[in-house]
Amino acid sequence: MAKIKSKTKKIEKEEIKIKVKTPKNPIDGFFTAQNIAVIGAAREPNKIGHIILRNLMANKTVYPVNPNADEIMRLKCYKSVVEIEDKIDLAIIAVKSDLVPQVVSDCGKKRIARVVIVSSGFEEMGKNDLQRKLKEILDKYKITVIGPNCLGIYDSYNELDGIFLPKQKVKRPEQGGISFISQSGALGATLLDSAAERKYGISKFISYGNAINLNECDFLEYLAEDEKTKVICMYIEQVRDGKRFIETAKKVAKIKPIVVFKGGVTEQGSEATLSHTGSLAGDAQVYQGIFEQTGMIQVEMLEDLFSTAKLFEKILDGGYRINGKKIQVVTNGGGYGIISTDNVIKNEMEMADPSSVTKKTLGKNLPMINIKNPIDLLGDTTNERYKLVLSSLLNDNNVDMILVVLLYQTPFLTEDIVEVLGEIDDLKKKPIVVVTSRSSYGYTNITEKLADKGVVCFEFPESACRVMGKVLKKVVK
Amino acid sequence: MAKIKSKTKKIEKEEIKIKVKTPKNPIDGFFTAQNIAVIGAAREPNKIGHIILRNLMANKTVYPVNPNADEIMRLKCYKSVVEIEDKIDLAIIAVKSDLVPQVVSDCGKKRIARVVIVSSGFEEMGKNDLQRKLKEILDKYKITVIGPNCLGIYDSYNELDGIFLPKQKVKRPEQGGISFISQSGALGATLLDSAAERKYGISKFISYGNAINLNECDFLEYLAEDEKTKVICMYIEQVRDGKRFIETAKKVAKIKPIVVFKGGVTEQGSEATLSHTGSLAGDAQVYQGIFEQTGMIQVEMLEDLFSTAKLFEKILDGGYRINGKKIQVVTNGGGYGIISTDNVIKNEMEMADPSSVTKKTLGKNLPMINIKNPIDLLGDTTNERYKLVLSSLLNDNNVDMILVVLLYQTPFLTEDIVEVLGEIDDLKKKPIVVVTSRSSYGYTNITEKLADKGVVCFEFPESACRVMGKVLKKVVK
């Protein structure tokens, strides 16, 4: 009896152990793939099959597949994946659409579990039969697929560069907490490049095109679990399974912020989606309702997609506790202060009223400055004036967030203002957002340097306030 | 009798002659001034009185005035303007506000007809008595004044650089047809700098601050006559004489487009204007009504102010005849095409339907491209494909304007696309507007090079369509 009891206990323990160790989401295998076959690998430098090969080669073991070549870029080339001796974790397919079913069959025979199909020329071109045929083969071999008609995938942490655009054209962002799911390829690449230029760090990028197999719901579920992903960005035109999308988004939005931009919000725009990723976008208001109901954050301007995600990431990383939506504006240009005020109000935030302590302290040190909201540091401001005022505001409980307008055009600001703002920001006492206008000097320097220090910057008060409004709506209960 | 008759005739002729020769608007004298006194000229390089002096010196005869200096930058310095031997066309005053009434009296004694007062510290700081005192002296000597509490004036054609910000901080725009009236100084400088960086040419810039004497109406009237000014841009917070403003704007808007951005459109924003330029902004809806009624074009985003003006200038300069609001979108990214479509509709324009000739011609040459709207040139597009499609559309009567999306991130576009678009644009057959996203490569190169060729560029479809919508609303009857 004792023996039996002990055995039971052992089994229970093992079960518990299994339960604790959550199995990896199968999508993770796409990003951790080490041995990768490139089917349609090409010798010609400007062909997609060449660019993919070259981008992957730096960090992965790559197997080019092309029936008409023996060697590409000094790598042995295979006529078919079935000829490859090693185990293949992932195949990336870049052959003409008509050939895709055959090479996918080969992948099945080679027992490749994961495939990215970048080739276009399926449903989005009206070739519904071909897409159906492809689906049958995928089902037969139980292959998990991203695409077709997509740009590929990218993972900064796993150093997986599976995007078919050259690095000279699309800069790869540094590591960071934003992951980006995009139904559109070129749009995805453009925003990725733009993110890199703005110094926004990215974890994973997934362009999923026609979504023949894996779709936005699968990726949302995966990214919800992914440790490196803090915030999820989405560009979508339409979802194919509304019910599942609502359930998934509801679940995931409780775990991580999901910032979404919807393409095709007018009837005409929606019609245009049909030939882009193969289906109608549907009613914009229905989508808007879904986004609200599920707790996603919909942005109305494309330019706000990544900056909203970035501000979320910053606030989550900084561990800020934000109790309200009271914004203090600090500016060195009266006009920008007024426009900021207008936009704080328009975006459903409030203007803070600095405490009497702040007013007293600053009034003593800066008698020429009127301590109210906005605080106008005047055109003759110095770095020091910004430092004094911001340091005081960081301890003011009447203020939830600070919007700093920094017009580098005024005469006495020096480049050290970057250090001043960087240090203030580093204290992580209150989130600050900086508006610093494009300028002949400042745009390529000040903004970039501030971004290097992790300060979130905008070019205009309007975009800054739109983004702040979106984030605070979600963060402040 | 004959003699008398002849005399009468002669008088009549002279009268006619006088009538024909329109007298110059007295404001013109500010910009054509050659002999300029700088009152408050300073030796210290970072003082306003020094910066003004240095900026003016390059092209004008400058007379520094400072009771405590004999020489500044190798120029003889005067204790007071009254000591200057030569006739002075214009005085720029940069002394402390308390000293302004005295030096203005001196200007009166020296019979200087025009004065710019950059000094702040009047009504905007609650010093209403000081402003009143100043006004009395101005009236006594009949001096025409810009300011106080302003940034100064700039004229690219007359090479007058009367802005108190150093050139390293604020780049001066090249010559062009946009003139800019700004109630706010720092905002004015920032947008001016930004315009220079975007290669928008400027004729005149006027920062008028507290408007103690000349105000927005005077400047509107002057710019309406000014030959170099094709389009007028305005940043205003409030007008002091509503009736005159409506009359003036109505008159001027018939002659030249007036693009206006209004600061202080919320109650809180309006309150903030009080301490900026000394008066309340008033009800936003009243202003909106005035702008509509007078035929001004109000933009809701600060970033649209100059780009709207630029597109107007381009359309006026090009002599385009635009009959409708039918927009054709050409893109190399499906997502951007869809977002463009959404925004064409949102901004009250229509999507064009390319003619059967266009469809037939292009269908033959580009069988892989679906000729509809938007036309998606696909991710593998070449420069040549853009050229073919755009050349055809230029002759399509179903199309009024073309929105070209150019995502330089796609692999096969080369820098020569700039030449292609430049040539298409140069034909002046139909206005084109380009959306080219910020990119690690393209932002500093493609956008700048396109701008150099006079192509109007935007970073996002949203801003492009907002601006196109504003311009077409005015241009198309």
Side-chain angles (χ1 to χ4, degrees), chain A residues 217-232:
Chain A
C217 295
D218 301 298
F219 301 123
L220 279 177
E221 279 169 359
Y222 167 62
L223 293 175
E225 292 170 19
D226 178 48
E227 276 179 22
K228 301 291 188 196
T229 300
K230 310 292 179 199
V231 184
I232 301 167

Side-chain angles (χ1 to χ4, degrees), chain A residues 46 197 302 412 438 443 462, chain B residues 46 197 412 438 443 462:
Chain A
N46 65 356
E197 211 249 338
L302 190 56
F412 309 130
R438 187 196 290 228
Y443 199 60
E462 288 103 326
Chain B
N46 65 356
E197 211 250 337
F412 309 130
R438 184 197 293 228
Y443 199 60
E462 288 102 327

Side-chain angles (χ1 to χ4, degrees), chain A residues 46-47 51 125 165-166 168-171 184 186-187 189-191 193-194 197-198 235 237 261-266 268-270 272-273 275-276 300-303 332-336 338-339 341-342 345-346 351 368 372 374 376 407-413 437-441 443-444 459-460 462 466, chain B residues 46-47 51 125 165-166 168-171 184 186-187 189-191 193-194 197-198 235 237 261-266 268-270 272-273 275-276 300-303 332-336 338-339 341-342 345-346 351 368 372 374 376 407-413 437-441 443-444 459-460 462 466:
Chain A
N46 65 356
K47 283 207 167 169
I51 299 167
M125 299 272 274
L165 295 173
Q168 313 92 275
K169 282 299 192 91
V170 175
K171 199 171 166 180
S184 172
L187 181 139
T190 301
L191 293 193
D193 186 40
S194 187
E197 211 249 338
R198 283 171 213 255
Y235 170 80
E237 288 164 8
F261 181 92
K262 165 83 173 69
V265 293
T266 60
Q268 290 88 335
S270 171
T273 62
S275 56
H276 183 220
E300 284 79 29
M301 304 261 186
L302 190 56
E303 66 170 296
N332 64 333
Y336 269 74
I338 288 158
I339 301 169
T341 306
D342 282 339
I345 302 303
K346 278 185 188 176
M351 290 297 278
M368 64 299 220
K372 47 188 189 79
D376 187 349
L407 305 177
Y408 194 69
Q409 285 85 356
T410 62
F412 309 130
L413 287 181
S437 168
R438 187 196 290 228
S439 84
S440 49
Y441 177 83
Y443 199 60
T444 41
E459 195 181 338
F460 289 99
E462 288 103 326
R466 282 198 310 267
Chain B
N46 65 356
K47 282 206 169 172
I51 300 168
M125 299 272 276
L165 294 174
Q168 313 91 275
K169 283 298 194 94
V170 176
K171 198 171 167 181
S184 173
L187 181 140
T190 301
L191 293 193
D193 187 40
S194 185
E197 211 250 337
R198 284 172 213 254
Y235 170 80
E237 287 164 9
F261 181 92
K262 165 83 173 68
V265 293
T266 59
Q268 291 88 335
S270 170
T273 63
S275 57
H276 183 219
E300 284 79 29
M301 304 262 186
L302 190 57
E303 67 170 295
N332 62 333
Y336 269 73
I338 289 158
I339 301 171
T341 305
D342 281 338
I345 303 302
K346 278 186 189 176
M351 289 298 278
M368 65 299 220
K372 47 187 189 81
D376 186 349
L407 304 179
Y408 194 68
Q409 286 84 357
T410 62
F412 309 130
L413 289 179
S437 167
R438 184 197 293 228
S439 84
S440 50
Y441 177 84
Y443 199 60
T444 41
E459 195 182 338
F460 289 100
E462 288 102 327
R466 282 199 309 268

Side-chain angles (χ1 to χ4, degrees), chain B residues 342-382:
Chain B
D342 281 338
N343 284 280
V344 162
I345 303 302
K346 278 186 189 176
N347 289 285
E348 296 172 10
M349 299 173 287
E350 298 155 43
M351 289 298 278
D353 181 19
S355 73
S356 52
V357 177
T358 304
K359 283 177 184 165
K360 215 171 151 184
T361 318
L362 289 177
K364 217 180 285 171
N365 291 316
L366 297 166
M368 65 299 220
I369 305 295
N370 198 345
I371 305 303
K372 47 187 189 81
N373 197 1
I375 296 177
D376 186 349
L377 302 180
L378 304 179
D380 65 346
T381 190
T382 54

